[in-house]
Amino acid sequence: MTKKIVALLSAIVCGFCAFAAITIDPATRTFDKTGGGNSVLTGGDGSWTATADVDWITISPRTSGNAGDSCVYIVDANFSADTRIGKITIGGKTHTITQTGYPSSLDKMSANFPKTGGQGTVEITVDNNIAWSAKSNDSWITLENSSGFGKSTITYNVAPYTTSVSARSGTITIGGNTFVVVQSGPLVTITPDT
């Protein structure tokens, strides 16, 4: 009987905790390169504190409050071609901010390589003095330069491919653009063919 009462009380307390949790609206928001200010509405019950995981988001004028209070924040201008993502944690809930950068383009969107691999280049065009970064999303593609300013050429290396007969594809993210690398596998012959 005592165990049943304890279990019932635990269930009631847990139910109250779930009801008392802070809620936020909205969960995500997008900004352009100019940034700006906005807010997140809190609900539920209880108090909250807010923290940002990046230095380009400033929570102001307050970093704490009660359910029903808004969490106000400012997003700095993005002086790069890269899209960036930051998060604000409010009472255990996450508000995700995505900010686009300056427009940029690549001189080509893909390249093909044989099984032996090799070296390639791709050119990014972006306004002068605007930063960009490049990141390989696959271990068999390595970059010789991964950041710069303005119009630039990125040099990359593709490793030899001997583990499968199927073609493989990988990507490089450059200033918010996706560059695709396709590499063929070893040729296979059969004897006799009839």
Side-chain angles (χ1 to χ4, degrees):
M1 184 69 172
T2 303
K3 289 183 180 178
K4 289 183 179 179
I5 293 172
V6 170
L8 179 60
L9 289 173
S10 296
I12 291 171
V13 170
C14 288
F16 176 75
C17 291
F19 173 76
I22 291 291
T23 61
I24 64 170
D25 183 45
T28 63
R29 186 168 276 124
T30 301
F31 287 80
D32 64 17
K33 67 180 184 295
T34 58
N38 219 310
S39 63
V40 180
L41 180 64
T42 66
D45 192 21
S47 60
W48 53 264
T49 58
T51 57
D53 69 344
V54 290
D55 61 5
W56 48 270
I57 299 173
T58 303
I59 302 168
S60 178
R62 61 175 177 233
T63 58
S64 62
N66 297 308
D69 294 335
S70 293
C71 176
V72 180
Y73 62 88
I74 299 167
V75 174
D76 294 343
N78 183 4
F79 294 104
S80 78
D82 304 315
T83 295
R84 59 186 182 180
I85 296 174
K87 295 177 181 178
I88 299 175
T89 302
I90 307 168
K93 300 296 189 296
T94 301
H95 176 72
T96 302
I97 297 165
T98 302
Q99 186 181 26
T100 57
Y102 276 73
S104 64
S105 61
L106 305 179
D107 65 336
K108 53 185 174 283
M109 299 306 294
S110 64
N112 294 291
F113 284 83
K115 65 180 181 179
T116 52
Q119 188 176 84
T121 61
V122 56
E123 187 177 83
I124 182 172
T125 299
V126 65
D127 290 350
N128 288 336
N129 300 319
I130 296 301
W132 57 265
S133 67
K135 177 188 173 215
S136 170
N137 301 306
D138 297 272
S139 60
W140 50 276
I141 305 170
T142 56
L143 305 180
E144 294 203 358
N145 53 320
S146 59
S147 63
F149 291 87
K151 187 173 182 177
S152 307
T153 298
I154 296 93
T155 302
Y156 61 94
N157 296 292
V158 177
Y161 182 36
T162 58
T163 58
S164 174
V165 297
S166 301
R168 64 180 177 179
S169 64
T171 59
I172 306 171
T173 302
I174 307 170
N177 303 285
T178 300
F179 181 75
V180 179
V181 177
V182 178
Q183 185 177 27
S184 59
L187 293 176
V188 174
T189 60
I190 56 173
T191 303
D193 59 358
T194 59

